[in-house]
Amino acid sequence: MTTFLGMPATAPRGVGHLRGDQPFPRAAHDALDNSQLRRNLRHATTTIRGKSGRVIAELPDWQRLRDAGSAIKADVMSRLPSLLVELESRVIEAGGVVHWAADANEANEIVTGLVRRTGSERVIKVKSMATQEIGLNEALEDAGITPVETDLAELIVQLGDDKPSHILVPAIHRNRSEIREIFLRAMPGVDPALTDDPPVLAAAARRYLRETFLSTSVAVSGANFAIAETGTLGVVESEGNGRMCLTLPDTLITVMGIEKVLPTWRDLEVFLQLLPRASTGERMNPYTTMWTGVTPGDGPQNFHLVLLDNGRSAVLADTVGRQALHCIRCSACLNVCPVYERTGGHAYGSVYPGPIGAVLSPQLTGIEDNASLPYASSLCGACFDACPVKIDIPSMLVHLRNKAPHSPAERAAMAAAAYTMSRPRLYASAQRAAKMARIVGRRGRGLPPPLSGWTAGRDLPEFPEQTFRDWWARR
């Protein structure tokens, strides 16, 4: 039997969380009105940046590790189909079952069908971007199955009927007072005298989840990595909830994006050094759980791996844009991005916010459905410097801007500029006319109507007293 990834198709509409209700500029404008949100984001991202910077500085070979991570990911993309077939074979040999999902609809159908066959009406979940991407919780609820998020931040989002706003810290937009109010309102059996002290809040969540862990027979997880040569999967986390989900239930269902595969165990060594330092600012993850298929009498006795495409083949087909598939979901780019720090994650409209979301989401959905996201950046380059696998996000943003649909007015303006710049005499006349902006423009730094909209939020560079052509002619 031959396995096909399918034709490069984008993620389907009407399912999952890859498209927003409004374009980024409008959503960002609304977010900027929320001063509490900006304070929460500034405090959280500043703290994470500081921790991360300190532990990265301890490694003299950090840049070589980044080079190695980038090279491994590029190698994976160059032979992804064969690595996935190898992974499938090894998982089956180890007693697991592999399912191929072309898109979100297929993945949701597979998972809900597997849960129904167990007879369980509830599942516990490990934090997973892939299941958020496909809207699995909504699909489970529609099937009469209750999903329970066990990651603390994801639990806060779920109880608050909210949406995640950060890849690593989904409730980063909430402060502890807001979390207390959510727990009092939505958490069953919570102490009415609950305070907003972080250890007290964590203890309340622990009590709520403990009984759920012990009484639920099905778990759903994502995967940070999968090793093709052995069929081993891995989840790294900081709370221990993941290990409870991965070891206690009888049935484990893992939904994994096809790009997460690594060729060998040796490759994993690199990423287990890069990921914790770039993400949580830790030297190593407190909990690193690896499992290979089924072990009789130990852990889940039924293991299913759902390999998810959902637009990834379309991303892979773009030789520039495929770099987005190198992402290891560390969120380092979010923590250094000046745009994300001011607008938060909800403004992006996708489960993948920040700089990586601005290049990944438009490719998964098709650029037409997320045309404003490649412009959600100042192109400062901080994301490239912070990325542990050296994804060149600024170059991809420019690449996607060139592919995005442009308004008739913008196309006309660019055509006029091209016409002018290709004719020396006309260009010289335009240069002389441009000097008038020093007089007419706002404080000499803007443009007159109808071009004033562009310079309302930007300073126009000062025009020189003398053009190069004038200088050349005089000499």
Side-chain angles (χ1 to χ4, degrees):
M1 178 180 176
T2 303
T3 301
F4 295 95
L5 290 182
M7 296 299 292
T10 54
R13 294 172 179 168
V15 60
H17 302 285
L18 289 173
R19 299 167 174 87
D21 298 327
Q22 53 187 347
F24 179 81
R26 193 176 307 155
H29 185 273
D30 295 340
L32 289 171
D33 285 336
N34 188 338
S35 58
Q36 182 63 58
L37 172 67
R38 294 203 306 276
R39 283 193 294 270
N40 294 349
L41 290 168
R42 188 184 312 114
H43 172 74
T45 54
T46 301
T47 300
I48 297 172
R49 280 199 308 269
K51 288 180 61 181
S52 180
R54 286 189 290 272
V55 295
I56 286 174
E58 296 173 355
L59 291 184
D61 62 343
W62 177 252
Q63 294 305 323
R64 292 179 63 190
L65 279 171
R66 293 180 74 209
D67 290 338
S70 178
I72 292 168
K73 282 293 189 177
D75 173 57
V76 168
M77 296 306 123
S78 70
R79 52 193 182 105
L80 184 58
S82 62
L83 288 173
L84 289 170
V85 172
E86 181 182 3
L87 174 66
E88 177 187 38
S89 298
R90 299 292 87 79
V91 170
I92 292 172
E93 289 173 3
V97 180
V98 178
H99 310 262
W100 297 79
D103 57 32
N105 289 317
E106 285 191 13
N108 289 334
E109 183 179 353
I110 291 167
V111 176
T112 53
L114 291 172
V115 177
R116 275 176 168 161
R117 284 201 287 275
T118 68
S120 178
E121 296 181 350
R122 181 173 65 186
V123 301
I124 49 177
K125 290 188 68 214
V126 186
K127 182 180 183 302
S128 164
M129 299 302 297
T131 60
Q132 288 276 1
E133 172 190 326
I134 64 176
L136 179 61
N137 283 7
E138 292 86 344
L140 289 170
E141 290 168 352
D142 290 344
I145 300 164
T146 302
V148 179
E149 298 287 354
T150 63
D151 174 84
L152 178 57
E154 290 283 6
L155 177 64
I156 293 166
V157 170
Q158 185 179 40
L159 292 177
D161 195 23
D162 202 352
K163 294 180 180 179
S165 63
H166 191 275
I167 289 175
L168 184 68
V169 193
I172 196 172
H173 56 290
R174 297 289 193 184
N175 60 32
R176 61 189 192 180
S177 296
E178 293 172 312
I179 294 169
R180 172 184 176 271
E181 293 303 318
I182 290 172
F183 281 11
L184 287 173
R185 182 174 66 250
M187 183 178 286
V190 71
D191 184 355
L194 183 73
T195 70
D196 65 359
D197 187 32
V200 174
L201 294 172
R206 189 178 299 115
R207 284 191 297 271
Y208 169 68
L209 290 172
R210 181 67 52 149
E211 177 59 31
T212 307
F213 282 131
L214 297 174
S215 60
T216 306
S217 61
V218 181
V220 175
S221 82
N224 292 100
F225 307 104
I227 312 301
E229 70 174 353
T230 61
T232 303
L233 285 92
V235 165
V236 297
E237 38 112 9
S238 300
E239 300 174 15
N241 64 293
R243 181 160 296 175
M244 301 280 277
C245 291
L246 297 168
T247 56
L248 288 177
D250 184 65
T251 298
L252 172 61
I253 304 166
T254 298
V255 181
M256 186 189 85
I258 56 176
E259 80 278 16
K260 296 296 185 70
V261 65
L262 296 175
T264 68
W265 271 97
R266 185 85 180 267
D267 300 318
L268 182 63
E269 170 196 354
V270 173
F271 295 98
L272 290 184
Q273 295 179 78
L274 289 170
L275 181 57
R277 285 175 168 84
S279 58
T280 56
E282 296 169 300
R283 295 176 183 87
M284 64 181 291
N285 292 100
Y287 295 89
T288 300
T289 306
M290 316 294 295
W291 71 98
T292 306
V294 174
T295 302
D298 182 15
Q301 297 302 289
N302 300 283
F303 172 56
H304 297 266
L305 173 60
V306 181
L307 293 172
L308 175 69
D309 190 324
N310 205 40
R312 286 161 175 79
S313 291
V315 182
L316 186 65
D318 188 324
T319 55
V320 176
R322 68 171 56 168
Q323 274 193 78
L325 296 179
H326 294 191
C327 178
I328 58 175
R329 307 293 190 264
C330 69
S331 74
C333 61
L334 281 70
N335 298 329
V336 299
C337 178
V339 176
Y340 174 84
E341 186 176 303
R342 286 156 180 79
T343 65
H346 293 157
Y348 292 81
S350 168
V351 70
Y352 301 114
I356 189 61
V359 295
L360 180 58
S361 299
Q363 295 189 87
L364 291 175
T365 64
I367 188 67
E368 296 80 7
D369 286 5
N370 271 308
S372 65
L373 285 186
Y375 295 91
S377 170
S378 63
L379 299 180
C380 68
C383 51
F384 180 41
D385 293 337
C387 178
V389 290
K390 303 183 76 170
I391 300 173
D392 190 354
I393 292 178
S395 293
M396 270 195 291
L397 288 166
V398 174
H399 171 68
L400 292 173
R401 289 179 185 186
N402 289 332
K403 296 176 69 175
H406 298 279
S407 67
E410 184 178 358
R411 290 199 300 271
M414 292 299 104
Y419 182 87
T420 300
M421 291 179 181
S422 62
R423 289 161 175 78
R425 289 185 178 178
L426 186 58
Y427 182 61
S429 299
Q431 283 187 311
R432 290 191 293 271
K435 293 181 182 179
M436 292 298 295
R438 296 167 59 91
I439 303 171
V440 179
R442 171 177 51 86
R443 298 190 305 277
R445 304 299 298 275
L447 290 173
L451 303 177
S452 54
W454 193 87
T455 53
R458 306 170 178 86
D459 280 339
L460 193 68
E462 291 283 359
F463 289 101
E465 295 286 348
Q466 186 180 43
T467 67
F468 174 80
R469 289 170 179 271
D470 293 339
W471 176 85
W472 182 264
R474 290 178 184 177
R475 292 175 67 90

